[in-house]
Amino acid sequence: MAIRSFFVPFLLFVLCFYSSLCPVLSLYEDQVGLMDWHQQYIGKVKQAVFSTQKTGRRRVIVSTEENVIASLDLRHGEIFWRHLLGSNDVIDGIDIGLGKYVITLSSGGSILRSWNLPDGQLVWESFLQGPKQSKSFLLVPTNLKTEKDNEIVVFSNGRLHAVSCIDGEVLWKKDFEAESFEVQQVIKPPGSDLIYVVGFAASSQFEMYQINARNGELLKHESATLSSGFLREVSLVSSETIVALDSTGSILLTISFQNGEISFQQTPISNLYEDSAGPAVIIPSSVPGIFAIKTNAITIFIRVIGEGKLEVVEKTNHETAVSDALPISEGEQAFALIQHAGGEMHLAVKLAHDWDSNLLKESIKMDQQRGLVHKVFINNYIRTDRSHGFRVLIVMEDHSLLLLQQGLIVWSREDGLASIIDVTTSELPLERDGVSVAKVEHNLFEWLEGHMLKLKGTLMLASPEDVAAIQSMRLKSSEKSKMTRDHNGFRKLLVVLTRAGKLFALHTGDGRIVWSHLLRSLHKSEACQSPIGLNLYQWQVPHHHAMDENPSVLVVSRCGPSSDAPGVLSFVDTYTGKELSSLSLAHAATQVIPLPYTDSTEQRLHLLIDSDKHAHLYPKTSEALNIFKREFSNIYWYSVEGHNGIIKGHALKCKCTGKVADEFCFDTRELWSVVFPSESEKIIATVTRKLNEVVHTQAKVIADQDVMYKYISKNVLFVATVAPKGSGEIGSVTPEESWLVAYLIDTVTGRILHRVTHHGAQGPVHAVFSENWVVYHYFNLRAHRYEMSVIEIYDQSRADNKDVWKLVLGKHNLTSPISLFSRPEVITKSQSYFFTHSVKAIAVTSTAKGITSKQLLIGTIGDQVLALDKRFLDPRRSVNPTQAEKEEGIIPLTDSLPIIPQSYVTHALRVEGLRGIVTVPAKLESTTLVFAHGVDLFFTQLAPSRTYDSLTEDFNYALLLITIVALVAAIFVTWRLSERKELQEKWR
Amino acid sequence: MEKGKGVMGSGRRWAVDFSDNSTAPSSRDIPDPPGFTRASVDQDDSTVSRQKKDAESNWKAQKAWEVAQAPFKNLLMMGFMMWMAGNTVHLFSIGITFSALWQPISALQGVGKVFEPYKDSKVELLGPKLLFIALNLGGLALGVWKLNTLGLLPTHASDWVSSLPPAQEVEYSGGGIPL
């Protein structure tokens, strides 16, 4: 009986425990961070302003190329606050006003904002208009104080404004309406009430305006003509002198406008530097008395010694970056100079008037993978012995941000990750004896202790400290950040290519950078002036027989922005991050087509199409060529020419003829073309299925055991076109003038499988294609709401396969290979629903075998990711579904799609500047990995049909073990007891 | 039951055999009591035993028919249970259906055993056996029918194609908007 009284509650408890395993769709608060991680970045820094008052925290305010304004902690590099302006709200300048406001000028100089420095709240916002487009300048002079206010001088859109720093009110404005006047500099000499606006007119005339800073009155206007003309860039060498180059780039012009008198001084560069050849470029800087020019990869520093006389102070062929001048004491200005020499970086801080001596000279060992220094910002502090110390903020070629102080890197931020171009994944190495595994194996005692803690937690016996310990243990589980493959396929490498041309491998467990590699092929070189990384492809994914090879990725890049610039291929090993090889192509790479064939080492065959429509096969091996020749007649390609509204299909013809001829080059011929009438349709979106998507079955079982056969084809293209008038902003046209046409086009034969017109609809269109359906999102002008539509395609010609006996005996041809030239009869079903949000990206979950039901992942305008069951977008939904349909799981039709707050994948976080969502199947069928990237990165695991094939993360194995042990013990004890009882009965 | 067996098994030291040995004179070594004549019993042995045997075989045949008809009641019972269980798949209906399937099958397996006690040279057992088998088959059919109404029999095309992989396409096409 004693056993029983112990057992009943125990069993009840076990039952309770198992019932608590019933999965929930959303996340509990303590599950945040278990499977997801979130990283915040800011992007490549354009401008930095230090705020180091005597009191308060030291911080630096930065503006970036991702249109972020952020306040960073100078001690650790953490973000205090951050604001992401819209993608068309480019920041032109930032500064600090009155020591407590951050002033930003953005949108081509038309929006001026003030933010509170400590917490980043918006204080005021002013719209500045002007007569014409121009450069914009933001000046916050410190000497224009009137009582408690400070004046901000803004030149934008051809107008000079003075704005109050307190409330953003425009105090005065002055137009510069002269047709051809192009402003080059706005100068506010310290200690005077004058503003100089200088610029060029008609390419050979120099103009100078002198303006009273108090009231905007034009004091003086002078102009002078120089026959040889000017190049655009100017360098300011003093408050009343600028240096420019003439239009040939060979003569330096020193222009001074002291007291309103313009005087030119011409100095041929060859006078200063004999070997100069080719045009020079002025490096923009604002160090008084000194400027730098660059000619033939040589940087020359030139000093201006009164009366426009020039003197070369230093020539160097090292890569060099110069900071702006920093006033450190009365009349003294310091600047920082960074030169690269070999693997080291030399930092020198000099006084502006004294080139030869250094205030500071340090050399710092710099990681080769960070490339060159692009920008330098300098700041000073007073040491305890009252001497000046300097800290330097540098922006590297890979967009990372580093703070240097006393010869050390104090902190660094990998802000290149804010601008990801493309993402792919790679498996981790297999766990072998030789592979070193990060400290995972802890001893049994610790294991037991951990599980006892967990047990305490589940029995509600844990004290608050224990709860905290349990939570930290869960978050820091070393299991998830191991460097080896796991059984469930949760641990992978995310290989990302950033705009800076750097490859990063992020671990999916905790988001740390496993390796990073600045691609050599994406460096500037003689042959390749402005290389651009384009795309990433999985080049080699070894499995089965090629296990010993490391997987590798292919990076396709191009030398220059035009589409016929030659391409560059690089192959990078994903285990080590080493660049295996790189190829500079003789031809362009306008399209890269991964083929569904691999060679014996699991290298995927790729077809590169050049600008002359020749196809080039890679890898260039005879084995690949043999495989390719076998499938030669079955390979097609198509091109979408968005600008003239034509989609063309091509087939491969024969070996190339002409200058690029080799064995691996093939001519192509045009097979078909779909021409959209340019007066009524304009292509705005195309989408296809993912190449690696796995579909489990071709049949869809509907109510009453009926079957519909899905039309599953990899060669279907979804195209959305809109009326040319309606391709602008939402609301710029009336519903009658705007329509959206959705097409489904077979890309082998060019057949239009389906076409549907949405009248009164407008773009932008975001679409996702998976299995046999496509979902797209657009704006409905009549209803003034966003709408989502779904089209499902079914194969009617297979619908007759309903004879059970034939199916049982396998006498059907449902799985035999089909040709697209056999004219499949398709029917489509579609439905539309209202949707509340506007959308930035749509993706769909993908699983290993394609059995698990799908969820749409919608990147909302609020930079969150919303998971929406595909069941809500089922064209068979009706207002009153029958009993059988209800059993099938069809949801009654509603006019709009529900947004369930718990189904936000990103829970409370925001992926600022969301650009893309990537889903990768895990090995576990129920689970898919989701990576969302923008300025921030977010990663999580999703189980669209819940984790039906595994125990949850927090499953208590100790409890299970104890239960089993207790049960076994109980069996043993009761057996013994019954034995004894029996014996006694026998003796009775 | 188990206990009894255990006692009777290995632990037996002594036993009293209460079986009647009276009809076996060979084993009789004790003289008959006075006044008891064994001959009176043996006298009309032939007629009595014939009558008795007839009665027994009649009874056996009757009993065999009864046994053969027994599944019919079962069938009705099962039918009622099935009707009660409904047509949706859940634990109860599945349990009933499987018991409805299992009972006839186990009964069919033990046809010989069921009719063992009624085995007689004079009794015709084929009829009852056939009836028994037919009724059990009926029960089985009922079970299968129930299984089908529950949708657990693969009788629809959907049951055979639901895991057919998509057909491979011969052609392959790639491309898109130029990079």
Side-chain angles (χ1 to χ4, degrees):
Chain A
M1 285 302 110
I3 291 162
R4 210 172 176 202
S5 62
F6 162 70
F7 237 96
V8 167
F10 199 85
L11 280 175
L12 271 178
F13 166 70
V14 170
L15 270 179
C16 288
F17 181 73
Y18 275 86
S19 61
S20 75
L21 281 183
C22 284
V24 277
L25 193 69
S26 54
L27 219 59
Y28 287 112
E29 194 185 352
D30 64 340
Q31 286 174 319
V32 168
L34 275 188
M35 290 177 298
D36 53 323
W37 47 262
H38 180 235
Q39 294 175 352
Q40 294 188 320
Y41 294 102
I42 51 174
K44 185 184 183 183
V45 170
K46 273 203 293 206
Q47 207 181 344
V49 185
F50 292 86
S51 162
T52 48
Q53 311 127 306
K54 278 154 204 86
T55 55
R57 288 190 281 195
R58 304 224 150 109
R59 59 184 85 211
V60 55
I61 312 296
V62 294
S63 71
T64 73
E65 288 183 356
E66 298 292 327
N67 300 338
V68 172
I69 317 158
S71 163
L72 304 178
D73 185 352
L74 260 185
R75 223 158 266 170
H76 309 290
E78 285 154 7
I79 299 170
F80 278 136
W81 53 262
R82 181 178 63 152
H83 292 292
L84 180 68
L85 307 184
S87 59
N88 47 6
D89 198 6
V90 179
I91 302 168
D92 303 307
I94 57 168
D95 211 332
I96 292 177
L98 287 178
K100 57 183 177 181
Y101 300 117
V102 178
I103 314 290
T104 64
L105 183 68
S106 60
S107 277
S110 52
I111 303 175
L112 188 69
R113 292 190 184 94
S114 166
W115 315 82
N116 193 13
L117 181 62
D119 58 4
Q121 289 198 27
L122 184 65
V123 181
W124 51 257
E125 186 178 57
S126 288
F127 294 92
L128 308 175
Q129 267 129 17
K132 59 170 192 180
Q133 290 280 320
S134 77
K135 277 190 182 176
S136 39
F137 298 91
L138 171 70
L139 300 176
V140 184
T142 45
N143 58 339
L144 275 183
K145 278 189 182 146
T146 48
E147 290 161 29
K148 280 179 183 169
D149 200 355
N150 197 354
E151 207 171 273
I152 303 166
V153 180
V154 177
F155 190 96
S156 67
N157 294 325
R159 184 179 282 176
L160 189 68
H161 308 259
V163 183
S164 157
C165 196
I166 298 285
D167 53 7
E169 208 177 310
V170 177
L171 301 172
W172 54 260
K173 53 195 174 197
K174 167 91 188 85
D175 282 5
F176 293 84
E177 275 173 73
E179 207 37 57
S180 60
F181 176 71
E182 278 181 53
V183 66
Q184 293 300 334
Q185 278 291 345
V186 176
I187 304 151
K188 171 81 192 64
S192 76
D193 276 353
L194 297 174
I195 297 171
Y196 291 106
V197 176
V198 295
F200 303 127
S203 80
S204 61
Q205 197 168 346
F206 179 78
E207 306 249 349
M208 186 279 293
Y209 296 85
Q210 198 183 46
I211 286 156
N212 185 345
R214 295 278 168 206
N215 51 20
E217 197 186 326
L218 178 64
L219 298 176
K220 211 175 254 179
H221 175 209
E222 293 285 327
S223 64
T225 313
L226 191 80
S227 53
S228 56
F230 304 96
L231 280 183
R232 289 281 165 272
E233 262 78 51
V234 296
S235 185
L236 193 67
V237 288
S238 77
S239 58
E240 285 166 337
T241 313
I242 61 166
V243 174
L245 279 164
D246 78 335
S247 55
T248 60
S250 57
I251 297 169
L252 279 169
L253 305 168
T254 318
I255 309 160
S256 76
F257 37 92
Q258 258 165 353
N259 310 322
E261 304 291 324
I262 300 175
S263 60
F264 289 110
Q265 198 66 241
Q266 300 192 24
T267 319
I269 293 174
S270 51
N271 283 8
L272 299 166
Y273 173 58
E274 289 75 24
D275 305 337
S276 81
V281 189
I282 286 186
I283 298 172
S285 69
S286 71
V287 182
I290 287 172
F291 66 96
I293 57 168
K294 200 171 176 182
T295 168
N296 305 341
I298 290 174
T299 313
I300 306 165
F301 290 93
I302 298 165
R303 180 156 52 193
V304 184
I305 18 176
E307 301 300 312
K309 282 220 176 70
L310 303 178
E311 180 194 39
V312 173
V313 288
E314 192 171 329
K315 290 189 281 255
T316 172
N317 56 0
H318 297 311
E319 285 294 334
T320 309
V322 191
S323 76
D324 284 351
L326 170 85
I328 48 169
S329 56
E330 209 53 49
E332 281 194 326
Q333 294 197 322
F335 66 98
L337 180 77
I338 288 188
Q339 296 193 336
H340 283 274
E344 289 214 323
M345 209 173 70
H346 299 294
L347 166 70
V349 178
K350 294 171 195 278
L351 284 176
H353 59 265
D354 184 11
W355 180 272
D356 301 318
S357 66
N358 293 321
L359 285 176
L360 181 77
K361 195 165 171 65
E362 286 164 353
S363 11
I364 296 141
K365 259 232 164 322
M366 186 54 78
D367 184 4
Q368 288 290 305
Q369 301 302 344
R370 292 197 189 277
L372 307 172
V373 174
H374 272 190
K375 281 200 168 90
V376 188
F377 303 97
I378 184 171
N379 178 235
N380 67 328
Y381 58 91
I382 311 286
R383 293 209 193 94
T384 41
D385 60 352
R386 299 202 163 267
S387 64
H388 286 284
F390 294 94
R391 53 171 89 87
V392 175
L393 195 67
I394 54 173
V395 182
M396 304 297 291
E397 196 180 359
D398 68 343
H399 298 186
S400 60
L401 184 69
L402 296 96
L403 185 81
L404 307 180
Q405 196 171 332
Q406 294 171 345
L408 293 171
I409 298 170
V410 182
W411 51 259
S412 62
R413 292 180 56 87
E414 291 290 350
D415 279 308
L417 285 170
S419 48
I420 289 176
I421 298 174
D422 203 0
V423 183
T424 188
T425 55
S426 161
E427 293 290 345
L428 282 160
L430 279 172
E431 195 159 352
R432 292 203 199 97
D433 297 335
V435 177
S436 71
V437 176
K439 36 161 181 68
V440 178
E441 284 79 23
H442 39 224
N443 57 35
L444 185 73
F445 178 71
E446 271 174 40
W447 183 86
L448 261 180
E449 200 183 6
H451 278 286
M452 280 316 291
L453 263 178
K454 264 193 194 178
L455 186 66
K456 263 171 115 181
T458 38
L459 291 172
M460 315 237 173
L461 297 172
S463 62
E465 297 93 76
D466 287 349
V467 172
I470 294 168
Q471 185 65 7
S472 71
M473 201 170 62
R474 289 167 77 191
L475 291 178
K476 272 186 282 183
S477 152
S478 53
E479 189 64 25
K480 67 178 185 185
S481 54
K482 260 186 175 179
M483 272 305 293
T484 52
R485 233 175 266 191
D486 65 332
H487 186 66
N488 291 333
F490 294 161
R491 293 200 296 261
K492 280 183 201 295
L493 284 180
L494 289 166
V495 182
V496 299
L497 176 67
T498 66
R499 198 167 294 149
K502 195 173 186 182
L503 270 184
F504 288 90
L506 306 176
H507 195 288
T508 56
D510 52 3
R512 70 175 191 278
I513 296 166
V514 178
W515 52 258
S516 60
H517 179 74
L518 190 67
L519 289 168
R520 253 178 299 147
S521 53
L522 284 171
H523 260 304
K524 264 185 208 170
S525 64
E526 286 297 312
C528 195
Q529 277 302 323
S530 55
I532 308 164
L534 293 173
N535 266 327
L536 271 178
Y537 298 90
Q538 288 190 333
W539 178 252
Q540 194 176 15
V541 186
H543 56 100
H544 303 317
H545 46 273
M547 249 354 198
D548 296 331
E549 307 266 342
N550 286 2
S552 53
V553 290
L554 165 68
V555 186
V556 179
S557 40
R558 184 164 62 200
C559 292
S562 75
S563 66
D564 52 356
V568 181
L569 304 182
S570 347
F571 305 92
V572 180
D573 185 327
T574 62
Y575 286 177
T576 60
K578 296 271 176 307
E579 199 165 345
L580 298 172
S581 61
S582 76
L583 284 173
S584 290
L585 307 182
H587 55 83
T590 57
Q591 295 198 21
V592 182
I593 303 170
L595 297 174
Y597 316 110
T598 54
D599 69 6
S600 59
T601 56
E602 300 284 342
Q603 286 187 354
R604 186 162 293 278
L605 271 59
H606 283 70
L607 211 55
L608 265 67
I609 311 292
D610 68 13
S611 45
D612 300 326
K613 302 200 166 157
H614 292 302
H616 302 266
L617 177 71
Y618 289 88
K620 290 194 168 184
T621 58
S622 57
E623 189 196 357
L625 194 63
N626 286 336
I627 297 167
F628 184 70
K629 280 204 173 135
R630 230 180 297 145
E631 302 288 344
F632 185 78
S633 59
N634 291 328
I635 295 169
Y636 300 82
W637 66 277
Y638 66 95
S639 56
V640 180
E641 291 164 20
H643 53 95
N644 52 7
I646 301 178
I647 299 178
K648 282 180 184 161
H650 309 262
L652 300 172
K653 201 163 65 179
C654 57
K655 289 256 164 64
C656 278
T657 48
K659 58 178 166 45
V660 285
D662 69 351
E663 266 190 293
F664 302 94
C665 169
F666 300 91
D667 272 340
T668 61
R669 70 196 151 93
E670 196 180 311
L671 276 187
W672 51 266
S673 59
V674 178
V675 183
F676 298 100
S678 60
E679 66 276 8
S680 65
E681 291 182 38
K682 181 175 183 291
I683 299 173
I684 55 163
T686 61
V687 67
T688 54
R689 272 178 62 192
K690 270 205 281 184
L691 182 67
N692 55 359
E693 190 190 44
V694 182
V695 181
H696 175 61
T697 174
Q698 56 174 296
K700 178 173 178 157
V701 180
I702 55 174
D704 301 325
Q705 315 283 305
D706 215 349
V707 186
M708 290 176 86
Y709 291 92
K710 298 175 192 169
Y711 181 73
I712 291 169
S713 169
K714 285 217 189 307
N715 303 320
V716 181
L717 175 74
F718 168 81
V719 182
T721 65
V722 289
K725 264 190 169 179
S727 57
E729 294 257 305
I730 286 169
S732 58
V733 281
T734 60
E736 287 71 33
E737 302 175 304
S738 182
W739 54 83
L740 183 146
V741 192
Y743 292 86
L744 292 170
I745 297 173
D746 186 324
T747 55
V748 170
T749 60
R751 185 184 302 129
I752 294 173
L753 298 170
H754 183 65
R755 176 183 191 276
V756 62
T757 309
H758 299 271
H759 290 285
Q762 203 182 6
V765 171
H766 295 275
V768 63
F769 202 141
S770 170
E771 290 195 9
N772 67 326
W773 51 262
V774 59
V775 169
Y776 51 103
H777 177 273
Y778 53 90
F779 191 77
N780 184 336
L781 286 167
R782 287 217 171 85
H784 306 287
R785 292 169 88 172
Y786 284 98
E787 232 174 53
M788 272 174 116
S789 281
V790 58
I791 303 175
E792 290 190 355
I793 334 162
Y794 292 96
D795 192 343
Q796 199 59 26
S797 55
R798 291 173 170 243
D800 305 329
N801 282 300
K802 286 205 170 128
D803 190 339
V804 178
W805 286 111
K806 270 191 182 167
L807 293 168
V808 174
L809 299 171
K811 292 217 185 297
H812 59 83
N813 54 0
L814 290 173
T815 48
S816 49
I818 50 159
S819 166
L820 288 167
F821 290 101
S822 60
R823 284 194 75 89
E825 268 178 69
V826 296
I827 55 162
T828 54
K829 287 172 177 284
S830 54
Q831 221 167 47
S832 300
Y833 321 86
F834 291 127
F835 188 68
T836 317
H837 288 302
S838 72
V839 160
K840 284 187 167 180
I842 305 188
V844 66
T845 58
S846 57
T847 52
K849 300 265 189 300
I851 300 170
T852 308
S853 64
K854 305 243 169 200
Q855 275 184 341
L856 291 171
L857 300 173
I858 298 166
T860 64
I861 195 73
D863 291 327
Q864 293 204 303
V865 180
L866 177 75
L868 184 69
D869 248 351
K870 169 67 178 57
R871 291 194 301 146
F872 287 109
L873 289 136
D874 185 342
R876 292 175 52 244
R877 281 175 74 182
S878 56
V879 180
N880 288 313
T882 62
Q883 187 60 37
E885 281 176 339
K886 269 186 200 159
E887 265 173 42
E888 192 197 327
I890 285 184
I891 303 162
L893 182 62
T894 48
D895 65 341
S896 59
L897 295 170
I899 290 169
I900 306 157
Q902 289 95 319
S903 57
Y904 278 105
V905 174
T906 43
H907 42 89
L909 303 169
R910 282 167 58 129
V911 188
E912 293 278 359
L914 181 69
R915 270 191 299 262
I917 304 168
V918 181
T919 61
V920 189
K923 256 189 226 157
L924 199 65
E925 168 57 27
S926 67
T927 312
T928 175
L929 312 177
V930 179
F931 179 59
H933 60 91
V935 174
D936 291 352
L937 310 181
F938 178 79
F939 174 88
T940 191
Q941 293 171 14
L942 270 194
S945 305
R946 299 164 187 186
T947 47
Y948 54 82
D949 50 2
S950 71
L951 293 170
T952 50
E953 189 87 338
D954 50 356
F955 183 78
N956 202 331
Y957 290 94
L959 189 60
L960 182 72
L961 208 72
I962 290 169
T963 315
I964 291 170
V965 169
L967 279 172
V968 168
I971 288 168
F972 191 70
V973 169
T974 46
W975 179 62
R976 288 295 297 272
L977 282 176
S978 85
E979 284 261 281
R980 194 180 296 169
K981 205 174 173 186
E982 225 162 66
L983 194 63
Q984 278 170 356
E985 228 147 67
K986 280 175 196 164
W987 281 110
R988 196 168 283 163
Chain B
M1 292 281 262
E2 299 247 326
K3 241 183 259 173
K5 240 179 218 166
V7 174
M8 295 288 277
S10 52
R12 191 162 75 183
R13 295 272 170 80
W14 52 267
V16 178
D17 193 356
F18 292 107
S19 57
D20 184 13
N21 285 336
S22 58
T23 47
S26 59
S27 66
R28 191 181 66 204
D29 33 8
I30 304 156
D32 285 337
F36 174 77
T37 50
R38 196 167 288 273
S40 62
V41 184
D42 294 334
Q43 187 187 25
D44 50 5
D45 193 31
S46 55
T47 53
V48 173
S49 73
R50 197 176 302 129
Q51 273 178 7
K52 214 178 178 177
K53 262 187 190 161
D54 275 352
E56 198 181 282
S57 65
N58 269 344
W59 175 82
K60 271 188 181 169
Q62 203 186 331
K63 240 354 192 192
W65 278 109
E66 258 173 45
V67 166
Q69 281 165 3
F72 183 67
K73 278 181 224 157
N74 223 340
L75 211 68
L76 288 180
M77 174 77 174
M78 226 55 231
F80 178 70
M81 294 269 275
M82 280 174 183
W83 177 71
M84 289 292 285
N87 275 347
T88 47
V89 180
H90 51 80
L91 204 64
F92 188 57
S93 64
I94 287 179
I96 288 202
T97 313
F98 276 94
S99 78
L101 286 171
W102 177 245
Q103 269 183 7
I105 290 169
S106 62
L108 286 175
Q109 273 178 341
V111 172
K113 239 176 222 167
V114 172
F115 289 97
E116 190 97 27
Y118 319 115
K119 219 174 185 177
D120 204 318
S121 54
K122 280 185 185 161
V123 181
E124 186 58 56
L125 277 179
L126 189 66
K129 267 191 186 172
L130 280 178
L131 182 68
F132 184 80
I133 289 170
L135 283 175
N136 272 316
L137 282 177
L140 197 65
L142 195 70
V144 171
W145 172 79
K146 182 69 191 173
L147 210 58
N148 193 24
T149 53
L150 287 180
L152 297 177
L153 276 193
T155 51
H156 290 93
S158 59
D159 301 315
W160 295 92
V161 296
S162 60
S163 61
L164 274 187
Q168 274 213 317
E169 284 175 307
V170 178
E171 292 90 0
Y172 178 79
S173 167
I177 297 172
L179 296 175

